[in-house]
């Protein structure tokens, strides 16, 4: 597994990471045996960066990770800020501390490797107090480093202005390319590690869905397809599902020969040097090998990268809901 530096944390992490949202059952039920098999497969593949959150399954994802014997050198990042004790307007230093202490207990650690503000509302970010609390809690020893997970470019740029912010987690994929223009270069200037989530746009960019694909009632790809539960940008990157399937069919014609669609999508992200790691979630342990294979593929040709950028501006960007 190839590795990269995670910004000012100084951590060396696998460039393909593991997203652990699904371990909370938010994409449909995931049994204990399957969850353990996924984590075992991640260890075996050399995936050394795992990302979770306190709200994934109400803490179930964190507890499953905590119960698993971590491989030596694995860094676990969690997130805070969307639980009912905080969101949308109950943020305080004491509440933030309590949230982080709960995560540490479930993960079985005394100090969190990385704690990320989890899509905190823009007015709270603009107020700025929450950044100071994170600095203080880091000084107290509760977290080694802190960062932010954001939904829009403007939120990301604001977070990058905070000296203590070590990482920034963003939606970045073939269906959401805008960060490449200003955000990624600014992050590199600030030595802020970039963590990419939703690399396959909730699975759309795997190329395995058809217009007749249906998802379980408990799967956010069902109940949040139009943003009824949380930001629509978190599901299919804000693209209407039926239109997304059509766009993927067009993309398949641009993918290099003998490269799986999902690997094509991941390779495109990895070809941006400012990216530290891509957190790809899996529902089956055998999917990990497919994701890891993207790390071994050669970089895409510059001409193709330019073609994909033009295609995005022309065909995809007008379809995005929820802001970029």
């Amino acid at each position: 597994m190839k590795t990269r530096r995670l910004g000012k944390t100084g951590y060396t992490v696998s460039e393909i990471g593991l997203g652990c949202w699904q371990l909370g059952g938010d994409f449909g039920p995931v049994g204990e045996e399957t969850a353990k098999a996924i984590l075992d497969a991640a260890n075996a593949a050399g995936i050394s960066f795992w990302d979770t959150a306190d709200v994934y399954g109400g803490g179930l994802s964190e507890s499953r990770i905590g119960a698993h014997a971590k491989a030596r050198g694995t860094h676990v990042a969690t997130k805070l800020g969307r639980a009912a004790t905080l969101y949308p307007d109950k943020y305080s230093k004491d509440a933030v501390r309590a949230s982080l202490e709960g995560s540490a207990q479930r993960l079985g650690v005394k100090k969190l490797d990385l704690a990320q503000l989890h899509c905190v509302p823009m007015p709270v970010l603009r107020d700025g107090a929450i950044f100071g609390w994170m600095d203080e809690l880091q000084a107290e020893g509760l977290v080694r480093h802190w960062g932010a997970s954001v939904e829009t470019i403007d939120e990301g740029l604001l977070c990058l202005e905070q000296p203590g912010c070590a990482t920034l987690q963003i939606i970045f994929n073939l269906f959401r390319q805008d960060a490449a223009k200003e955000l990624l270069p600014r992050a590199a200037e600030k030595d802020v590690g970039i963590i990419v989530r939703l690399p396959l746009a909730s699975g759309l960019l795997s190329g395995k869905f058809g217009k007749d694909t249906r998802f379980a009632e408990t799967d956010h790809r069902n109940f949040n397809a139009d943003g009824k539960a949380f930001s629509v940008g978190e599901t299919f990157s804000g693209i209407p599902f039926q239109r997304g399937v059509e766009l993927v069919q067009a993309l398949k014609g641009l993918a290099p020969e003998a490269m799986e669609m999902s690997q094509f999508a991941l390779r495109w992200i990895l070809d941006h040097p400012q990216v530290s790691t891509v957190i790809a979630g899996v529902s089956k342990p055998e999917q990990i090998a497919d994701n890891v294979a993207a790390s071994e593929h050669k970089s895409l040709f510059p001409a193709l990268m330019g073609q994909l950028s033009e295609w995005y501006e022309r065909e995809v960007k007008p379809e995005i809901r929820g802001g970029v």
Side-chain angles (χ1 to χ4, degrees):
M1 169 66 73
K2 296 178 181 177
T3 60
R4 301 186 181 191
R5 180 174 172 272
L6 186 59
K8 65 182 71 170
T9 69
Y11 297 154
T12 296
V13 297
S14 55
E15 62 181 22
I16 297 294
L18 180 67
C20 297
W21 188 358
Q22 77 285 0
L23 297 187
D26 299 297
F27 288 76
V30 175
E32 291 292 339
E33 289 187 7
T34 299
K36 183 178 183 302
I38 287 171
L39 297 176
D40 284 341
N43 274 338
I47 294 178
S48 62
F49 184 82
W50 301 354
D51 176 87
T52 185
D54 57 356
V55 291
Y56 293 169
L60 178 60
S61 176
E62 289 181 326
S63 295
R64 284 175 162 173
I65 291 171
H68 190 275
K70 287 199 308 176
R72 188 175 183 180
T74 298
H75 294 289
V76 176
T78 193
K79 297 186 287 291
L80 73 146
R82 298 294 290 192
T85 53
L86 291 167
Y87 183 83
D89 57 4
K90 297 187 285 291
Y91 297 92
S92 69
K93 182 180 176 182
D94 287 343
V96 167
R97 179 190 284 109
S99 179
L100 293 172
E101 289 173 342
S103 290
Q105 183 176 18
R106 287 186 291 274
L107 288 168
V109 298
K110 293 182 179 180
K111 182 182 292 189
L112 296 165
D113 288 343
L114 174 65
Q116 305 159 95
L117 300 175
H118 193 183
C119 301
V120 170
M122 187 60 153
V124 177
L125 297 178
R126 286 200 186 101
D127 174 77
I130 197 167
F131 299 124
W133 301 334
M134 294 303 290
D135 285 335
E136 291 169 17
L137 293 170
Q138 181 181 16
E140 290 176 15
L142 186 52
V143 301
R144 290 186 173 86
H145 302 280
W146 67 267
S149 178
V150 299
E151 292 173 339
T152 68
I153 299 294
D154 285 345
E155 290 169 354
L157 291 172
L158 191 158
C159 291
L160 286 177
E161 295 306 311
Q162 313 307 315
C165 183
T167 64
L168 191 65
Q169 186 176 139
I170 62 172
I171 303 172
F172 185 57
N173 57 52
L174 284 163
F175 283 172
R176 189 70 76 88
Q177 299 186 22
D178 295 78
K181 297 176 182 177
E182 181 182 2
L183 189 66
L184 295 189
R186 184 78 62 86
E189 291 175 6
K190 302 283 187 177
D191 195 23
V192 171
I194 292 291
I195 302 164
V196 170
R197 76 176 184 278
L198 295 175
L200 300 182
S202 306
L204 257 181
L205 288 166
S206 70
K208 297 178 180 179
F209 297 161
K211 290 188 176 181
D212 59 348
T213 300
R214 297 293 180 267
F215 303 98
E217 289 186 10
T218 55
D219 192 320
H220 77 99
R221 293 173 293 186
N222 178 334
F223 65 77
N224 197 59
D226 295 313
K228 293 180 180 178
F230 43 85
S231 172
V232 70
E234 298 287 346
T235 303
F236 305 126
S237 290
I239 303 293
F241 179 73
Q242 300 287 321
R243 178 58 176 148
V245 172
E246 294 173 354
L247 290 167
V248 170
Q249 290 303 313
L251 265 178
K252 286 181 177 179
L254 298 175
E257 206 171 324
M259 188 181 290
E260 296 286 342
M261 184 64 215
S262 60
Q263 294 169 10
F264 176 37
L266 292 171
R267 184 67 256 174
W268 178 87
I269 298 170
L270 292 173
D271 283 342
H272 293 81
Q274 302 94 336
V275 171
S276 296
T277 188
V278 181
I279 50 173
V282 300
S283 58
K284 302 175 182 178
E286 53 266 30
Q287 294 171 325
I288 285 178
D290 290 336
N291 293 338
V292 170
S295 177
E296 303 303 322
H297 280 297
K298 293 181 179 179
S299 294
L300 303 178
F301 290 114
L304 176 55
M305 295 292 283
Q307 187 177 4
L308 291 167
S309 177
E310 293 172 3
W311 172 81
Y312 168 76
E313 293 289 341
R314 182 180 66 252
E315 300 291 339
V316 182
K317 192 169 181 177
E319 307 281 357
I320 295 175
R321 301 168 297 172
V324 296

